[in-house]
Amino acid sequence: MMLSLSRDGVASGSALKRAAPSSFDNPEGETSKKRFKEDLGNEPDNEKPIAKLNYEALADDLIQELHCGCCAELVYRPVVVSPCQHFFCGSCCVLWIRNGGTNCPACRGISTIVTPSRPLQSIVDIILRADPSRVRAERERIQADEIYKPGCSMRIPTPREASPEPNLNQNADYVRPCPHCARDNAFGWTCPQSVIDFGVDPERAWHLDDGNPPGHAFCGNCENLLALRAPSTTKCDFCQVSFCGIGVAGRCLAAPLLSQHPHNMSDVGDLIQSSEVYGCFDNNTVEVDIMLDYLTAQELTPRHIYREVASHIQSQPSGFRPLIELDLFVDIHSVTAGIDENPNAPRNRICRHCATEVMLWGIKEWWIRERQKGFLEETVTCRPDCKEGSSCSRQKDLGKEPAVWRKMTC
Ligand SMILES: [Zn+2]
Ligand SMILES: [Zn+2]
Ligand SMILES: [Zn+2]
Ligand SMILES: [Zn+2]
Ligand SMILES: [Zn+2]
Ligand SMILES: [Zn+2]
């Protein structure tokens, strides 16, 4: 399958960094393909393969889709923003507005009104009945209900005319307090070690040269100051950078591993434009194009690949250690990262940038596993390959049976 259009050895540094440990042998490929064909034979109308409804996967996907764009948890008392129809927990939306958020937190579209969503609430209720372990802790629910009164509609303000704030009391050399530093802040949690604003007391303000103020760090996304122990703060277990949960909804966030979205990878078009993706395939453009066609036909997104890669790595005995040892997650953000104290610590939360790293690291192996499922059409799998045939080192990558190589015409 591998037509070597590119010169050998052009793989970029990052692609080398990502080269996954090879497990390209394909003992399963042929049999799984056969199995698939037998399944088809049992269908009365076998013109099109009808996949059996996988209820577990369905429930899983549904739950993932119902995660709030702000807090990345299963949405609680959902509200929908009009006209874009993005939804969030009512309480997340209120906090967003209180913190000066304007427009929809997800798409930044101008919103006319935010209303509670009965249909979404019904689906969430069904999920919670089926899986009570997903019900939020009582304390959390009480807190959220205090912030957002169930059933209320509201408005997200549109940005005011840019006001030329004089900010005479600002000084760029000093740290601005975090949203939790003020004693009467709207977030229900106060920093035990508040940072003093330069405008309030220049003598006691914290100079940027002195590093992070105690108990604080800078958000890996919006780069504002955050309190490490604030309930809205999350830490990426890969790059060890913290995220404020307040600046930009859904982006200032290290989300639970499988609910994160890889940064800059929302659709197949982003993969096409990414030179790194081609790098992952040693610049074998033909193979990448076959994969992209497949993704388009199957309506698979980069996020789907990311999630499959991440679950696959999780299922391996070594987990994410090989990736961490490659320093894949070092110096990803421009803010200072925390220290990864325990290499064996579980990796539960991930930021968007690290999610992209994980996806790129595993995309080639993912594609090989995907091909071995035997879903590709014969016209694709039997395409003539490069002139060297089976002696080409790249042929091996996709685990073709030697018998198929011999038939090749190139
Ligand atoms: Zn939320
Ligand atoms: Zn929106
Ligand atoms: Zn603070
Ligand atoms: Zn932030
Ligand atoms: Zn990260
Ligand atoms: Zn070749």
Side-chain angles (χ1 to χ4, degrees):
M1 186 51 44
M2 311 293 276
L3 189 67
S4 53
L5 288 187
S6 69
R7 292 153 293 144
D8 283 337
V10 289
S12 67
S14 60
L16 285 177
K17 226 168 130 185
R18 278 191 195 98
S22 282
S23 57
F24 293 161
D25 334 9
N26 177 16
E28 289 285 320
E30 194 67 12
T31 47
S32 59
K33 189 165 180 173
K34 260 188 215 137
R35 228 178 289 131
F36 183 64
K37 283 196 170 147
E38 275 160 21
D39 286 350
L40 283 184
N42 296 335
E43 299 291 339
D45 170 15
N46 61 0
E47 280 218 313
K48 275 192 178 163
I50 300 164
K52 257 206 178 150
L53 194 49
N54 181 341
Y55 286 100
E56 215 169 295
L58 174 71
D60 193 45
D61 279 355
L62 195 58
I63 290 166
Q64 293 298 338
E65 286 307 318
L66 287 173
H67 277 62
C68 162
C70 284
C71 64
E73 305 285 338
L74 183 62
V75 71
Y76 179 73
R77 301 231 192 260
V79 293
V80 173
V81 176
S82 294
C84 64
Q85 301 289 303
H86 285 116
F87 66 88
F88 309 93
C89 311
S91 49
C92 286
C93 208
V94 171
L95 288 179
W96 166 256
I97 296 169
R98 276 194 204 160
N99 195 47
T102 56
N103 296 8
C104 167
C107 66
R108 298 308 183 95
I110 291 176
S111 76
T112 46
I113 192 157
V114 185
T115 45
S117 169
R118 250 179 247 135
L120 282 180
Q121 185 65 59
S122 312
I123 302 171
V124 170
D125 288 342
I126 292 169
I127 290 168
L128 293 178
R129 269 201 302 277
D131 183 1
S133 73
R134 291 183 183 275
V135 177
R136 295 198 184 195
E138 191 184 1
R139 200 180 57 90
E140 252 184 88
R141 278 180 284 142
I142 293 172
Q143 253 180 16
D145 290 345
E146 274 168 12
I147 295 168
Y148 170 69
K149 229 177 134 22
C152 282
S153 297
M154 54 192 151
R155 250 189 72 96
I156 302 180
T158 53
R160 294 170 295 262
E161 291 284 284
S163 65
E165 274 179 54
N167 266 347
L168 290 174
N169 289 334
Q170 285 302 323
N171 185 320
D173 294 338
Y174 290 87
V175 172
R176 297 183 64 181
C178 87
H180 295 95
C181 280
R183 201 162 281 179
D184 52 353
N185 71 72
F187 300 97
W189 190 90
T190 309
C191 290
Q193 290 165 286
S194 293
V195 176
I196 313 280
D197 192 13
F198 181 84
V200 172
D201 185 350
E203 294 292 300
R204 291 161 64 211
W206 189 272
H207 200 280
L208 277 171
D209 288 350
D210 297 335
N212 294 351
H216 290 81
F218 292 93
C219 172
N221 184 63
C222 70
E223 302 188 2
N224 288 328
L225 193 68
L226 57 76
L228 288 170
R229 289 177 51 213
S232 50
T233 296
T234 48
K235 188 190 65 135
C236 173
D237 295 326
F238 294 79
C239 62
Q240 306 296 326
V241 166
S242 293
F243 294 84
C244 70
I246 291 171
V248 187
R251 293 185 182 253
C252 292
L253 179 77
L257 193 62
L258 295 184
S259 56
Q260 188 53 284
H261 294 256
H263 178 71
N264 273 348
M265 290 284 174
S266 42
D267 52 36
V268 174
D270 293 325
L271 290 174
I272 294 172
Q273 277 166 30
S274 162
S275 59
E276 287 184 302
V277 170
Y278 288 91
C280 294
F281 284 82
D282 301 330
N283 291 307
N284 185 321
T285 54
V286 170
E287 194 58 40
V288 175
D289 289 345
I290 294 171
M291 179 184 73
L292 295 172
D293 287 347
Y294 173 79
L295 293 173
T296 308
Q298 302 288 315
E299 294 179 33
L300 298 178
T301 59
R303 186 176 183 227
H304 170 92
I305 302 174
Y306 159 69
R307 287 175 57 193
E308 293 212 330
V309 168
S311 347
H312 180 79
I313 298 172
Q314 259 182 328
S315 72
Q316 303 299 302
S318 54
F320 286 95
R321 243 178 298 133
L323 287 73
I324 291 163
E325 280 160 14
L326 287 170
D327 287 345
L328 280 189
F329 310 108
V330 173
D331 291 336
I332 286 186
H333 306 275
S334 51
V335 302
T336 312
I339 294 160
D340 192 359
E341 270 152 12
N342 175 8
N344 296 316
R347 311 284 156 177
N348 298 323
R349 285 187 174 265
I350 192 166
C351 72
R352 297 167 65 95
H353 283 83
C354 289
T356 298
E357 289 297 320
V358 167
M359 187 198 78
L360 290 173
W361 182 84
I363 191 168
K364 187 179 177 188
E365 287 258 326
W366 171 82
W367 174 235
I368 290 163
R369 289 193 298 274
E370 198 68 12
R371 290 184 55 137
Q372 289 173 355
K373 293 178 182 169
F375 295 152
L376 285 160
E377 287 177 25
E378 201 102 331
T379 49
V380 174
T381 53
C382 289
R383 247 157 87 146
D385 277 8
C386 99
K387 290 196 175 79
E388 283 104 277
S390 63
S391 67
C392 170
S393 61
R394 286 179 184 161
Q395 293 282 357
K396 202 165 127 281
D397 288 1
L398 292 150
K400 273 260 149 242
E401 295 292 312
V404 181
W405 287 333
R406 268 180 243 118
K407 280 191 280 176
M408 281 172 187
T409 52
C410 60

